Amino acid sequence: MSASLVGSEMCIRDSYKNNIIVSAMAAVIICFISVFAGYALSRFHFKWNKMLLATFAFAQMMPVISRLISLYTILRKLNLTDTHIGLVLAISATQVPFTVSLMASFFDGIPGELEEAASIDGSGRFYTLFHIIMPLVVPGLLAVGVYSFLMTWDDYLHAITLIRSNDLWTLSQGLKLTSVSYTHLTLPT
């Protein structure tokens, strides 16, 4: 096996590892934010509740590329370009509007009487959320986790824009840029 092919295998192996790290970190952060924000949108009705949900829906309609230049500028000023943390934050910002709306709809399906009964029994808000409500919305949390993991796994646009170092490439970036480096090879005819 030639040295270039061994280097390619190392690149792909590192890209797999980086992709798993970035996808797992993004899934955890997105699930954490979505649980609290979805619960707040579902249970605490305030003046701007519907406007916030409409803003989340509008954010999903905007193409990712239209936000990418400003996102890159912000992350560059914070010295977060070419880091996994910057990539995770960028991807999380893209996915949070949908996942918050999804979790809010799961929390809407849980009757408020359960929380009232827990409150009468002396439970605090966090105890009620984590011990009574969360077991009922585990399917929603799993849906959010799987969705965010898979969307991060497939992300190419954020990775190619924010990551420049070969050792930080994600899988889609590593496959594309490794295959581009072998295009100079000519096939026998």
Side-chain angles (χ1 to χ4, degrees):
M1 193 181 296
S2 70
S4 62
L5 289 178
V6 171
S8 171
E9 287 179 17
M10 293 297 287
C11 176
I12 298 301
R13 189 175 319 133
D14 289 342
S15 297
Y16 260 113
K17 179 187 68 144
N18 291 335
N19 214 25
I20 289 170
I21 290 169
V22 169
S23 297
M25 287 172 53
V28 168
I29 289 171
I30 291 167
C31 285
F32 181 79
I33 292 170
S34 297
V35 163
F36 288 109
Y39 182 75
L41 283 175
S42 174
R43 295 297 191 240
F44 306 122
H45 298 286
F46 48 91
K47 184 178 180 181
W48 299 100
N49 207 358
K50 291 189 190 279
M51 182 61 106
L52 190 58
L53 285 171
T55 304
F56 283 165
F58 180 72
Q60 288 300 107
M61 289 186 263
M62 297 295 294
V64 174
I65 197 150
S66 67
R67 300 178 290 215
L68 208 52
I69 295 171
S70 58
L71 189 61
Y72 179 81
T73 304
I74 291 168
L75 291 174
R76 189 184 62 203
K77 286 181 182 176
L78 295 172
N79 292 324
L80 290 174
T81 55
D82 209 22
T83 63
H84 284 156
I85 299 296
L87 181 60
V88 167
L89 291 175
I91 291 171
S92 297
T94 304
Q95 294 179 19
V96 160
F98 174 73
T99 58
V100 167
S101 301
L102 184 63
M103 281 307 296
S105 68
F106 273 96
F107 283 120
D108 285 341
I110 306 299
E113 289 82 12
L114 289 174
E115 292 173 74
E116 292 172 10
S119 176
I120 290 171
D121 290 341
S123 295
R125 179 138 333 249
F126 282 107
Y127 184 87
T128 302
L129 173 62
F130 289 112
H131 291 95
I132 297 170
I133 303 301
M134 282 303 294
L136 299 174
V137 294
V138 166
L141 188 59
L142 288 174
V144 166
V146 168
Y147 169 82
S148 60
F149 187 88
L150 291 177
M151 291 299 289
T152 305
W153 185 270
D154 290 339
D155 188 74
Y156 177 71
L157 192 58
H158 287 99
I160 199 73
T161 304
L162 298 173
I163 302 293
R164 296 288 177 209
S165 302
N166 296 1
D167 56 333
L168 297 176
W169 283 353
T170 59
L171 186 61
S172 58
Q173 191 177 14
L175 287 173
K176 176 64 177 168
L177 296 178
T178 302
S179 67
V180 166
S181 67
Y182 288 108
T183 56
H184 68 279
L185 298 174
T186 57
L187 297 174
T189 55

